[in-house]
Amino acid sequence: MVSTSGLGAPRPAAPTHPHPVIRPRQTPSAQPDDSLALWNGVPPQVLLIEDDEGDAVLVEELVEDSGTEVRLARARSLADALHLLETEAPECVLLDLHLPDAQGLDGLKKVLAVSAETAVVVLTGLSEERAGLTAVAAGAQDYLVKGRLEADVFMRAIRYAIQRKRTELAAVALQAGRLRAEENARLERGLLPTPLLLDDAADTVAVCARYHPGRAQTLLGGDFYDVVQTPDGATHAVVGDVSGHGPSEAALGVCLRVAWRSFVMAGARGAELLALLERILVAERSGPEIFATLVSLTRPAGTRAVSVQRAGHPGLLVRSAGGVELRTVPGGPALGILPGWGVGWPVSEVAVEEGGAVMLFTDGLIEGRVGPGSDRLDEAGLLEIARKHADLPAEPFVDTLIQTAQGLAADWGGLADDVAVLHLEWNPSS
């Protein structure tokens, strides 16, 4: 019989392996142990927390008689067990409810707090079955009564406890994934809205919008866009990007997007519009380091120009019969960088011919690395790609630009940031 490794003081000499394998007793009629298939060929690791020498020997013998190989370690106190669990998590813990430094459920609560992914089976006395039931209600997977143990029942309890714990963890992960998906859907509805267009506008505008999350994001980031036509027939559009990633930044992006739509519908224009958005950002952001960049434009009905404002954001692509141009108009700082300093955001006119289009985008499209070192696509690289595909209609044009940028960055880490693209094409109503 192989003895368990002690952790209490005074301690015996350290074994050659911290979890010696207890092998089943071999008899002439013994069948090969096929139980390791349940554990991917590796004996399960079990930690026995027991101060009584007689009970510890009983557990060893039950393991040997069960016909299952087990890596069994022993701690003589809760303190020693917690130290072990902080460095290595076994598949199962056998926990005596009466230890020198813990009584009743106190020990169970501390074990679960340190090793939440480990199955726990509590060991009770003959007269303490109710305590075992209470322990299961408190988070243990099962309980065993010491005076009623048989080898096959004992090992079955360990196996079932481990399987139940795995099922529980899988259910928790599934629920977390479902909640993330629901949160993504809510954020997507807020960040990526349906354009609010007039049915009888003097000019019709065709909108092509795309959003691609960064390679490591499980939630949408803070990129946002919106398109609105006001009763005077003017088309207003915005593309913005909140610094950082995560639900807080996404929620702030939703806030700014909704505020932008509300202010536009209420008649705010030019520097007044961006100043109001900055006040919202400062009031709603989680810390002073958070800022947002954006580009906002307005095209009055019947005109061939758009009024553009930039706040720390990249320029825009202008498409015409002659090709594609990058227009980086004068701008001001990102929102939230210099709040209250009276810094403005100039309004610039950009010509867009009849049948022409503009494309707004966030910097995630151009900041992917395209070579060793710090080489990135940048606006010049995007313009080169756009000119190669200038004859494509709106949707294939946008998709080709995004796919090409992703392909160029694929060998160098991919597009790490979120990408939002908004393509607007105007045609007079017939």
Side-chain angles (χ1 to χ4, degrees):
M1 179 176 64
V2 181
S3 63
T4 56
S5 59
L7 295 177
R11 297 175 179 168
T16 56
H17 192 287
H19 305 291
V21 178
I22 295 186
R23 304 186 184 281
R25 300 183 189 275
Q26 297 296 319
T27 65
S29 61
Q31 297 296 318
D33 178 24
D34 61 356
S35 63
L36 294 183
L38 293 171
W39 322 110
N40 298 320
V42 180
Q45 182 179 323
V46 177
L47 173 62
L48 172 63
I49 310 175
E50 175 63 75
D51 65 316
D52 185 276
E53 296 297 332
D55 288 341
V57 170
L58 174 63
V59 169
E60 293 176 30
E61 292 177 345
L62 288 168
V63 172
E64 289 182 349
D65 292 342
S66 69
T68 301
E69 293 186 9
V70 171
R71 291 178 293 157
L72 185 64
R74 179 184 170 199
R76 291 179 172 83
S77 69
L78 181 64
D80 285 340
L82 297 179
H83 178 72
L84 240 181
L85 291 171
E86 287 176 352
T87 58
E88 189 172 10
E91 281 78 16
C92 184
V93 166
L94 301 175
L95 173 64
D96 182 20
L97 289 182
H98 298 288
L99 296 168
D101 51 352
Q103 293 292 314
L105 297 182
D106 181 58
L108 173 62
K109 293 176 181 177
K110 291 181 178 179
V111 168
L112 293 175
V114 172
S115 189
E117 298 183 357
T118 298
V120 179
V121 177
V122 299
L123 304 175
T124 70
L126 287 171
S127 61
E128 299 176 317
E129 190 164 356
R130 180 174 295 181
L133 292 171
T134 303
V136 171
Q141 274 60 58
D142 206 346
Y143 73 95
L144 294 170
V145 181
K146 294 180 182 179
R148 301 175 185 170
L149 294 180
E150 295 182 5
D152 58 341
V153 175
F154 173 78
M155 190 51 62
R156 189 183 305 122
I158 292 177
R159 287 175 174 169
Y160 287 0
I162 294 173
Q163 292 302 325
R164 278 195 293 271
K165 188 64 179 181
R166 290 177 177 175
T167 301
E168 174 189 320
L169 294 173
V172 170
L174 184 63
Q175 174 70 356
R178 185 181 67 82
L179 292 175
R180 283 195 297 270
E182 291 178 355
E183 183 67 13
N184 264 342
R186 285 193 293 270
L187 290 172
E188 184 172 358
R189 287 194 296 270
L191 288 168
L192 318 177
T194 300
L196 184 61
L197 305 178
L198 300 176
D199 294 330
D200 56 351
D203 289 348
T204 60
V205 56
V207 179
C208 173
R210 295 289 186 270
Y211 177 89
H212 288 261
R215 66 175 187 272
Q217 303 305 312
T218 56
L219 285 173
L220 297 174
D223 290 17
F224 61 93
Y225 64 76
D226 203 355
V227 182
V228 169
Q229 281 188 318
T230 46
D232 61 0
T235 302
H236 310 268
V238 66
V239 168
D241 181 5
V242 177
S243 61
H245 296 285
S248 296
E249 289 73 15
L252 182 56
V254 172
C255 180
L256 291 176
R257 202 277 305 166
V258 173
W260 177 88
R261 175 176 284 202
S262 301
F263 292 145
V264 167
M265 297 296 292
R269 301 289 185 269
E272 178 192 13
L273 173 61
L274 268 60
L276 288 171
L277 288 176
E278 184 171 61
R279 289 183 64 185
I280 294 294
L281 181 143
V282 171
E284 298 292 338
R285 63 185 176 182
S286 58
E289 74 283 359
I290 303 298
F291 62 89
T293 69
L294 63 81
V295 57
S296 179
L297 64 81
T298 296
R299 185 180 193 266
T303 66
R304 296 186 180 182
V306 293
S307 301
V308 181
Q309 287 177 285
R310 286 194 317 118
H313 203 81
L316 65 156
L317 296 180
V318 179
R319 303 183 67 188
S320 65
V324 183
E325 298 295 332
L326 174 71
R327 297 300 303 270
T328 306
V329 300
L335 305 183
I337 293 293
L338 299 171
W341 282 50
V343 178
W345 298 272
V347 178
S348 301
E349 297 294 316
V350 175
V352 180
E353 66 181 41
E354 182 175 327
V358 298
M359 193 186 92
L360 315 178
F361 53 91
T362 56
D363 58 9
L365 183 62
I366 60 174
E367 288 192 342
R369 292 175 54 210
V370 295
S374 59
D375 292 341
R376 301 186 184 276
L377 181 63
D378 290 328
E379 291 170 306
L382 179 65
L383 179 60
E384 182 179 350
I385 298 170
R387 285 175 170 170
K388 290 180 181 179
H389 303 283
D391 295 333
L392 290 176
E395 292 201 1
F397 176 77
V398 171
D399 291 338
T400 299
L401 263 60
I402 295 174
Q403 292 166 8
T404 304
Q406 290 173 328
L408 291 172
D411 292 335
W412 311 98
L415 298 180
D417 202 357
D418 303 330
V419 175
V421 177
L422 187 62
H423 185 282
L424 305 173
E425 187 172 4
W426 287 273
N427 292 287
S429 298
S430 56

